[in-house]
Amino acid sequence: MTASLALLLALAPIGADPAGVTTDDFDSVRLYTLTNPSGASVKITNYGAIVTSIVVPDRDGNLADVALGYDELKSYTNAVDKPYFGAVVGRYGNRIAGGTFELDGETYELATNNGPNHLHGGVIGFDKVIWDVAPVEGKGKRALRLTYRAKDGEEGYPGNLDVSVTYEWTDDNRLIVAYQAKTDAPTPVNVTQHTYFNLKGEGDGTILDHQLTIDADRFTPVDETLIPTGELAPVTDTPFDFRDGKAIGQDIDTDDEQLRFGGGYDHNFVLNRGDAVPSELRRAARVVEPTAGRTLEVYTTEPGLQFYCGNFLDGRLTGKSGRPYIFRGGFCLETQHFPDSPNQPAFPSTILRPGDTLTSRTEFRFGVD
């Protein structure tokens, strides 16, 4: 019995593997592909709502897969150090200090799966469950909607949470990611997408030469366990100033306490949203890969952006290309609320209450320079 996520080639805009996998635990896992008229494509599996592949052209029209990941389901379930390649993470993406928070006078205990802290929803977060999936109807629409109910008490969180993520792949190579969530009891929610990118192509060396711009005047410094101190520190005259654009590797080896804590960049940036309303998309970041000329722009309704540059990749994981994923061989731009917000009253609130609907939208816009 195979756990392969083998793709059924089809002429339809959305193709699915009708067989899925045949193990008892994973017999409802499927892999879907969204292909636009230019041949650029995205592959998504309902295990973890994972984006397994993003194939886009360079300046000469050559297609390459720019998302780190695997060809087989077993690699996602058994991966060393659980890097969260391509997954939707939650119920709370990023870290919660000490695996505990207080809400409306009650204290909640969560798993401590990242040193002393809680990370990305716990031991079995959204990245490790099987989501229900359906195509989104609409003329010319190339989209999937994945849904999941996180039960009251799951991973220690209060409330039954109904969450959905819709992926849409457009003719102009935009991957649109839209989230919705409702709850029957107050609960913290911070859902994000955890794709690792290498715009040269997955497995093709480091990302240190990628030119990165982040539209943020401030960031949230952390302690040695990567929990925010509560300060919103200016990026001016620090290695964290990406406002004018620079190579990711330009200042990464600077003798800086924050870089030592993260082993490089693994920090939340406070996005410059100005007078934007919460539902308005604003540009958060732009990346240019100088050799092939691929670009990525990130637009979001979220207030924060976690920039992570693959500091824990070490060559032990082998990707779709058959090449190892080396140190700093990929970067993440995770649109989100700030880490540890349930314990940080000065941060934007992540508490969702009954009767309210969480909505969030991020667009990953691929192009060429």
Side-chain angles (χ1 to χ4, degrees), residues 10-41:
L11 296 177
I14 297 178
D17 177 0
V21 295
T22 56
T23 63
D24 292 339
D25 290 338
F26 298 115
D27 61 359
S28 60
V29 172
R30 300 290 187 272
L31 180 69
Y32 300 84
T33 182
L34 312 180
T35 305
N36 67 21
S38 71
S41 66

Side-chain angles (χ1 to χ4, degrees), residues 299-320:
Y299 284 73
T300 189
T301 59
E302 288 292 304
L305 179 77
Q306 184 84 6
F307 168 47
Y308 170 62
C309 61
N311 304 316
F312 299 108
L313 298 176
D314 60 7
R316 286 183 291 169
L317 304 177
T318 299
K320 293 163 286 184

Side-chain angles (χ1 to χ4, degrees), residues 226-241:
L226 301 183
I227 292 295
T229 63
E231 182 184 5
L232 304 182
V235 299
T236 303
D237 297 326
T238 77
F240 295 85
D241 192 349

